[in-house]
PDB file of all heavy atoms in Angstrom:
ATOM      1  N   ARG A 112     -13.338  -3.471 -14.244  1.00 98.00           N
ATOM      2  CA  ARG A 112     -13.155  -4.575 -13.380  1.00 98.00           C
ATOM      3  C   ARG A 112     -13.026  -4.220 -11.839  1.00 98.00           C
ATOM      4  O   ARG A 112     -12.834  -5.082 -11.015  1.00 98.00           O
ATOM      5  CB  ARG A 112     -11.840  -5.338 -13.772  1.00 98.00           C
ATOM      6  CG  ARG A 112     -11.897  -5.846 -15.226  1.00 98.00           C
ATOM      7  CD  ARG A 112     -13.129  -6.793 -15.346  1.00 98.00           C
ATOM      8  NE  ARG A 112     -13.077  -7.475 -16.708  1.00 98.00           N
ATOM      9  CZ  ARG A 112     -14.066  -8.186 -17.188  1.00 98.00           C
ATOM     10  NH1 ARG A 112     -15.198  -8.361 -16.545  1.00 98.00           N
ATOM     11  NH2 ARG A 112     -13.943  -8.742 -18.319  1.00 98.00           N
ATOM     12  N   VAL A 113     -13.015  -2.951 -11.491  1.00 98.00           N
ATOM     13  CA  VAL A 113     -12.900  -2.464 -10.193  1.00 98.00           C
ATOM     14  C   VAL A 113     -14.296  -2.074  -9.579  1.00 98.00           C
ATOM     15  O   VAL A 113     -14.976  -1.206 -10.194  1.00 98.00           O
ATOM     16  CB  VAL A 113     -11.895  -1.236 -10.060  1.00 98.00           C
ATOM     17  CG1 VAL A 113     -11.910  -0.791  -8.618  1.00 98.00           C
ATOM     18  CG2 VAL A 113     -10.574  -1.754 -10.617  1.00 98.00           C
ATOM     19  N   ALA A 114     -14.708  -2.766  -8.555  1.00 98.00           N
ATOM     20  CA  ALA A 114     -15.946  -2.504  -7.936  1.00 98.00           C
ATOM     21  C   ALA A 114     -15.848  -1.293  -6.970  1.00 98.00           C
ATOM     22  O   ALA A 114     -16.601  -0.347  -6.887  1.00 98.00           O
ATOM     23  CB  ALA A 114     -16.511  -3.728  -7.280  1.00 98.00           C
ATOM     24  N   ARG A 115     -14.939  -1.419  -6.018  1.00 98.00           N
ATOM     25  CA  ARG A 115     -14.532  -0.420  -5.048  1.00 98.00           C
ATOM     26  C   ARG A 115     -13.021  -0.489  -4.737  1.00 98.00           C
ATOM     27  O   ARG A 115     -12.484  -1.507  -4.856  1.00 98.00           O
ATOM     28  CB  ARG A 115     -15.348  -0.671  -3.750  1.00 98.00           C
ATOM     29  CG  ARG A 115     -16.799  -0.403  -3.893  1.00 98.00           C
ATOM     30  CD  ARG A 115     -17.620  -0.838  -2.625  1.00 98.00           C
ATOM     31  NE  ARG A 115     -17.560  -2.390  -2.517  1.00 98.00           N
ATOM     32  CZ  ARG A 115     -18.325  -3.099  -1.829  1.00 98.00           C
ATOM     33  NH1 ARG A 115     -19.317  -2.477  -1.186  1.00 98.00           N
ATOM     34  NH2 ARG A 115     -18.371  -4.411  -1.698  1.00 98.00           N
ATOM     35  N   LEU A 116     -12.474   0.686  -4.488  1.00 98.00           N
ATOM     36  CA  LEU A 116     -11.020   0.758  -4.246  1.00 98.00           C
ATOM     37  C   LEU A 116     -10.556   1.559  -3.073  1.00 98.00           C
ATOM     38  O   LEU A 116     -11.207   2.636  -2.876  1.00 98.00           O
ATOM     39  CB  LEU A 116     -10.389   1.458  -5.552  1.00 98.00           C
ATOM     40  CG  LEU A 116      -8.903   1.785  -5.569  1.00 98.00           C
ATOM     41  CD1 LEU A 116      -8.142   0.390  -5.596  1.00 98.00           C
ATOM     42  CD2 LEU A 116      -8.539   2.560  -6.812  1.00 98.00           C
ATOM     43  N   VAL A 117      -9.663   0.883  -2.252  1.00 98.00           N
ATOM     44  CA  VAL A 117      -9.306   1.605  -1.115  1.00 98.00           C
ATOM     45  C   VAL A 117      -7.747   1.743  -1.172  1.00 98.00           C
ATOM     46  O   VAL A 117      -6.986   0.782  -1.453  1.00 98.00           O
ATOM     47  CB  VAL A 117      -9.581   0.747   0.143  1.00 98.00           C
ATOM     48  CG1 VAL A 117      -9.072   1.432   1.381  1.00 98.00           C
ATOM     49  CG2 VAL A 117     -11.090   0.468   0.233  1.00 98.00           C
ATOM     50  N   LEU A 118      -7.317   3.007  -1.073  1.00 98.00           N
ATOM     51  CA  LEU A 118      -5.869   3.282  -1.219  1.00 98.00           C
ATOM     52  C   LEU A 118      -5.346   3.747   0.157  1.00 98.00           C
ATOM     53  O   LEU A 118      -5.803   4.885   0.614  1.00 98.00           O
ATOM     54  CB  LEU A 118      -5.615   4.262  -2.270  1.00 98.00           C
ATOM     55  CG  LEU A 118      -6.092   3.965  -3.707  1.00 98.00           C
ATOM     56  CD1 LEU A 118      -5.979   5.163  -4.726  1.00 98.00           C
ATOM     57  CD2 LEU A 118      -5.236   2.767  -4.264  1.00 98.00           C
ATOM     58  N   VAL A 119      -4.383   3.000   0.769  1.00 99.00           N
ATOM     59  CA  VAL A 119      -3.897   3.307   2.129  1.00 99.00           C
ATOM     60  C   VAL A 119      -2.579   3.799   2.185  1.00 99.00           C
ATOM     61  O   VAL A 119      -1.608   3.144   1.616  1.00 99.00           O
ATOM     62  CB  VAL A 119      -4.065   2.098   2.986  1.00 99.00           C
ATOM     63  CG1 VAL A 119      -3.573   2.370   4.362  1.00 99.00           C
ATOM     64  CG2 VAL A 119      -5.472   1.523   2.981  1.00 99.00           C
ATOM     65  N   THR A 120      -2.255   5.064   2.624  1.00 98.00           N
ATOM     66  CA  THR A 120      -0.994   5.674   2.709  1.00 98.00           C
ATOM     67  C   THR A 120      -0.153   5.348   1.519  1.00 98.00           C
ATOM     68  O   THR A 120       1.001   4.833   1.620  1.00 98.00           O
ATOM     69  CB  THR A 120      -0.258   5.143   4.109  1.00 98.00           C
ATOM     70  OG1 THR A 120      -0.062   3.696   4.031  1.00 98.00           O
ATOM     71  CG2 THR A 120      -0.981   5.599   5.233  1.00 98.00           C
ATOM     72  N   VAL A 121      -0.543   5.911   0.461  1.00 98.00           N
ATOM     73  CA  VAL A 121       0.039   5.744  -0.951  1.00 98.00           C
ATOM     74  C   VAL A 121       0.777   6.970  -1.309  1.00 98.00           C
ATOM     75  O   VAL A 121       0.271   8.043  -1.377  1.00 98.00           O
ATOM     76  CB  VAL A 121      -0.976   5.404  -1.980  1.00 98.00           C
ATOM     77  CG1 VAL A 121      -0.434   5.357  -3.276  1.00 98.00           C
ATOM     78  CG2 VAL A 121      -1.755   3.998  -1.669  1.00 98.00           C
ATOM     79  N   ILE A 122       2.145   6.808  -1.763  1.00 96.00           N
ATOM     80  CA  ILE A 122       2.946   7.849  -2.383  1.00 96.00           C
ATOM     81  C   ILE A 122       2.574   7.723  -3.878  1.00 96.00           C
ATOM     82  O   ILE A 122       2.903   6.671  -4.588  1.00 96.00           O
ATOM     83  CB  ILE A 122       4.366   7.618  -2.149  1.00 96.00           C
ATOM     84  CG1 ILE A 122       4.652   7.752  -0.633  1.00 96.00           C
ATOM     85  CG2 ILE A 122       5.146   8.691  -2.888  1.00 96.00           C
ATOM     86  CD1 ILE A 122       6.123   7.358  -0.329  1.00 96.00           C
ATOM     87  N   PRO A 123       1.929   8.767  -4.478  1.00 98.00           N
ATOM     88  CA  PRO A 123       1.321   8.602  -5.785  1.00 98.00           C
ATOM     89  C   PRO A 123       2.266   8.750  -6.942  1.00 98.00           C
ATOM     90  O   PRO A 123       2.030   9.713  -7.747  1.00 98.00           O
ATOM     91  CB  PRO A 123       0.136   9.645  -5.666  1.00 98.00           C
ATOM     92  CG  PRO A 123       0.663  10.699  -4.788  1.00 98.00           C
ATOM     93  CD  PRO A 123       1.503   9.962  -3.794  1.00 98.00           C
ATOM     94  N   ARG A 124       3.283   7.972  -6.978  1.00 98.00           N
ATOM     95  CA  ARG A 124       4.301   8.157  -8.094  1.00 98.00           C
ATOM     96  C   ARG A 124       3.607   7.890  -9.440  1.00 98.00           C
ATOM     97  O   ARG A 124       3.978   8.463 -10.463  1.00 98.00           O
ATOM     98  CB  ARG A 124       5.421   7.198  -7.880  1.00 98.00           C
ATOM     99  CG  ARG A 124       6.306   7.513  -6.760  1.00 98.00           C
ATOM    100  CD  ARG A 124       7.555   6.758  -6.521  1.00 98.00           C
ATOM    101  NE  ARG A 124       8.445   7.248  -5.474  1.00 98.00           N
ATOM    102  CZ  ARG A 124       8.384   6.721  -4.255  1.00 98.00           C
ATOM    103  NH1 ARG A 124       7.552   5.743  -4.002  1.00 98.00           N
ATOM    104  NH2 ARG A 124       9.151   7.257  -3.347  1.00 98.00           N
ATOM    105  N   ALA A 125       2.581   6.961  -9.531  1.00 98.00           N
ATOM    106  CA  ALA A 125       1.919   6.736 -10.804  1.00 98.00           C
ATOM    107  C   ALA A 125       1.235   8.036 -11.274  1.00 98.00           C
ATOM    108  O   ALA A 125       0.865   8.095 -12.469  1.00 98.00           O
ATOM    109  CB  ALA A 125       0.901   5.656 -10.511  1.00 98.00           C
TER     110      ALA A 125
END
Side-chain angles (χ1 to χ4, degrees):
R112 300 304 186 186
V113 179
R115 292 171 291 197
L116 177 61
V117 181
L118 299 172
V119 179
T120 59
V121 173
I122 298 174
R124 293 189 174 93

